[in-house]
Amino acid sequence: MRTAPTILHLDMDAFFASVEQASKPSLRGKAVVVGGLGPRGVVATASYEARVFGVHSAMPMGQARRLAPNAAYLVPRFSLYKSISERVMELLRALSPLVEPLSLDEAFVDLEAGGVAWDESSARLAGVKLRADIRAVTGLTGSVGLAASKMLAKIASEEAKPDGLVVIEPGTERAMLGPMSVRTLPGVGPATGDHLRRAGITTVEEIVEAGEDELVRLLGKAHGHGLYAMALARDDRPVVAEREAKSVSVEDTYDVDIHDRTRVGLEVQRLAERCVRRLRGAGLSGRTIVLKVRRYDFSTLTRSETLRGPTDDPAVIREAAARLLDSVDTTGGVRLLGVGVSGLADYTQEDLFAQAAGERAVAEGPIEEHAVAAAEEQPSLAERRWPAGHDVRHAEFGHGWVQGSGLGRVTVRFETPDSEPGRVRTFRVDDPDLEAADPLPLVLRGPGPDGGGGLPGAESQAVSSVPASLPKSWSGSGGGAATSRP
């Protein structure tokens, strides 16, 4: 393990929601929730203003609306998020050839491999410059963690949120990790966390006190050894340069085998929803749905179904996973379930009707004809045609975005990223002067990876200090004002 804090972890702050706030002046400083707005929709990202009310990612949208009824609820604009992510990744690749993206808004960077950092001081300067460049190029903020390993760098960036930088100095890792929850460590999800809690282990220091043999007894050889090493701040995982994803999948292992068929079906539906969130977070869609089932006797079965075209529609993926489950005998019990999507393609706004109609189309004409016929019969066409938050242009009033639609009307607020908050007007959904539009850039002019220029005030963004409750040697301060976490 290296001794200098030259592994950088970048996490863009509330990325989807921040993009929406930056592009819509009327939403700046207000609660914004991005995600699926249907009855089964989930929250993709919530702004920090929305998080005050308890709204968080992966929460059912209905629950979010109850907690924050006055927030703005918007449909994601993945093509815009992906284009901004590409600008950010360009800045990271200018620092090092070793960039490991984890999602559209998160990545590791090996600064030492790029020759831009070799000790704490140079690493800190690289982090400060990166944050300023990101603000100048995108108008957005990102939090940076710097440490000697990937695990610690990610923990540092979490402590830096929002809009800060934290450096974990070598030699302070054990003292910093000790009082933290076991859930802080990679690989400790809800199930493992509950298993450890039942054994009386709730903090990282208690993992160390329990000892490696006890961890192996509780969690198995591989997981026990790995978790004990991380509790001692040992993490030798290298930053791996970007590789093309071949599939996106999620799976859960259950402490007690599931025998109830209804419960198995509900778990598969939940996993399908999680898989869709991960798929959309990466800006991807896929053609092949895969179900993985590990039964009570440790036999593992996989079933797959290939669709007519790539999708990221949660309803389509849930239905495919349910059909695959029908072909699996779970009578003896299930200990692991997984849902994945392969045959990946870049995200595109697909034909919702063609995917949903799929095998249900029975007439002889092309699928597209049935899709049009179905669309004409749908009473909620307005909401599908004018998704909340998406861009429009009016022949008289110019560029705006959809605030909402229904009952044959669509409400539009006319404003741009560099304007004052705009006026709201309502039109018929079939108004010939109103049409869908491409998003406008958040920053009209910005520097390239070499820096320079940028938004007014970008140079004044200082490094945030570490929370006062943490050791002083774990400080993120480096001059300038401090920003505290929410």
Side-chain angles (χ1 to χ4, degrees):
M1 182 170 161
R2 67 186 69 196
T3 58
T6 54
I7 299 295
L8 180 147
H9 181 260
L10 169 71
D11 196 348
M12 299 295 289
D13 299 321
F15 184 49
F16 294 175
S18 294
V19 170
E20 299 300 341
Q21 290 177 317
S23 66
K24 300 172 173 64
S26 59
L27 297 184
R28 292 170 190 168
K30 298 182 180 179
V32 174
V33 180
V34 180
L37 304 189
R40 292 189 175 184
V42 296
V43 175
T45 309
S47 70
Y48 286 99
E49 295 85 355
R51 296 180 192 187
V52 171
F53 298 99
V55 180
H56 57 78
S57 62
M59 172 182 285
M61 191 61 75
Q63 182 181 356
R65 288 185 184 275
R66 290 190 293 273
L67 291 172
N70 296 320
Y73 289 86
L74 308 177
V75 176
R77 296 186 291 167
F78 287 107
S79 59
L80 175 60
Y81 307 152
K82 186 175 181 182
S83 67
I84 295 172
S85 173
E86 288 170 351
R87 299 292 307 275
V88 173
M89 296 302 166
E90 287 175 7
L91 293 172
L92 299 183
R93 293 187 188 98
L95 292 175
S96 173
L98 292 184
V99 176
E100 183 179 342
L102 303 179
S103 63
L104 289 178
D105 60 341
E106 187 179 1
F108 288 110
V109 184
D110 188 330
L111 298 177
E112 188 175 1
V116 296
W118 49 91
D119 59 11
E120 180 190 343
S121 177
S122 57
R124 188 188 299 273
L125 288 174
V128 170
K129 183 178 184 301
L130 173 64
R131 292 180 60 242
D133 286 348
I134 288 173
R135 178 180 283 273
V137 168
T138 69
L140 305 174
T141 63
S143 295
V144 167
L146 288 159
S149 71
K150 289 168 67 173
M151 178 188 75
L152 295 171
K154 185 172 175 63
I155 291 172
S157 70
E158 185 64 29
E159 294 298 327
K161 282 185 168 294
D163 190 20
L165 183 154
V166 164
V167 178
I168 300 179
E169 299 176 12
T172 67
E173 300 93 345
R174 288 282 303 278
M176 174 271 297
L177 280 176
M180 290 187 168
S181 165
V182 294
R183 292 288 304 277
T184 303
L185 300 179
V188 181
T192 301
D194 286 345
H195 195 52
L196 291 171
R197 179 181 53 79
R198 288 194 294 270
I201 300 172
T202 59
T203 67
V204 175
E205 184 58 36
E206 286 170 347
I207 289 178
V208 177
E209 292 173 354
E212 189 168 15
D213 291 342
E214 178 66 7
L215 264 291
V216 169
R217 187 187 69 80
L218 289 171
L219 304 175
K221 188 174 181 180
H223 199 182
H225 285 311
L227 193 59
Y228 185 74
M230 288 187 174
L232 294 174
R234 298 172 186 164
D235 179 19
D236 296 327
R237 294 173 301 160
V239 175
V240 180
E242 182 176 9
R243 295 171 178 170
E244 184 177 354
K246 294 183 178 180
S247 65
V248 172
S249 63
V250 296
E251 61 182 43
D252 274 346
T253 301
Y254 305 100
D255 291 335
V256 179
D257 290 353
I258 303 175
H259 292 83
D260 182 71
R261 181 74 178 188
T262 301
R263 166 81 188 286
V264 173
L266 291 173
E267 288 294 313
V268 168
Q269 297 294 289
R270 183 179 62 81
L271 289 166
E273 294 280 1
R274 282 175 52 196
C275 186
V276 168
R277 290 197 295 273
R278 185 169 295 182
L279 194 70
R280 288 183 167 183
L284 297 170
S285 57
R287 297 182 66 233
T288 301
I289 315 304
V290 181
L291 175 71
K292 178 179 178 182
V293 180
R294 181 166 297 151
R295 298 189 293 187
Y296 68 99
D297 58 358
F298 287 88
S299 62
T300 302
L301 304 175
T302 58
R303 299 287 186 269
S304 65
E305 175 181 324
T306 299
L307 307 173
R308 302 178 192 278
T311 184
D312 69 350
D313 187 327
V316 173
I317 293 174
R318 283 197 308 267
E319 290 170 8
R323 286 194 296 271
L324 294 170
L325 180 61
D326 288 340
S327 67
V328 178
D329 180 10
T330 62
T331 305
V334 170
R335 60 182 299 105
L336 177 147
L337 289 168
V339 174
V341 177
S342 60
L344 301 181
D346 287 347
Y347 176 89
T348 55
Q349 183 65 48
E350 66 190 33
D351 183 335
L352 300 176
F353 301 111
Q355 286 291 350
E359 299 175 358
R360 293 195 296 269
V362 294
E364 296 180 358
I367 291 177
E368 289 77 10
E369 294 180 8
H370 300 297
V372 172
E376 291 173 348
E377 297 170 2
Q378 292 296 322
S380 58
L381 174 61
E383 294 182 42
R384 290 184 174 131
R385 187 178 173 188
W386 305 113
H390 282 223
D391 300 84
V392 295
R393 175 166 289 279
H394 191 274
E396 179 181 353
F397 301 109
H399 191 94
W401 57 277
V402 176
Q403 278 203 327
S405 61
L407 302 177
R409 299 284 176 176
V410 54
T411 301
V412 178
R413 185 181 288 274
F414 290 96
E415 60 186 6
T416 64
D418 58 348
S419 74
E420 295 295 320
R423 295 187 62 182
V424 175
R425 298 181 184 274
T426 300
F427 308 91
R428 299 193 318 272
V429 295
D430 58 353
D431 190 319
D433 290 335
L434 188 67
E435 62 182 2
D438 292 330
L440 297 177
L442 302 185
V443 177
L444 295 180
R445 295 183 64 185
D450 57 341
L455 297 179
E459 68 279 0
S460 66
Q461 296 299 313
V463 182
S464 68
S465 64
V466 72
S469 60
L470 296 169
K472 292 183 178 180
S473 59
W474 194 46
S475 173
S477 61
T483 54
S484 61
R485 300 176 65 212

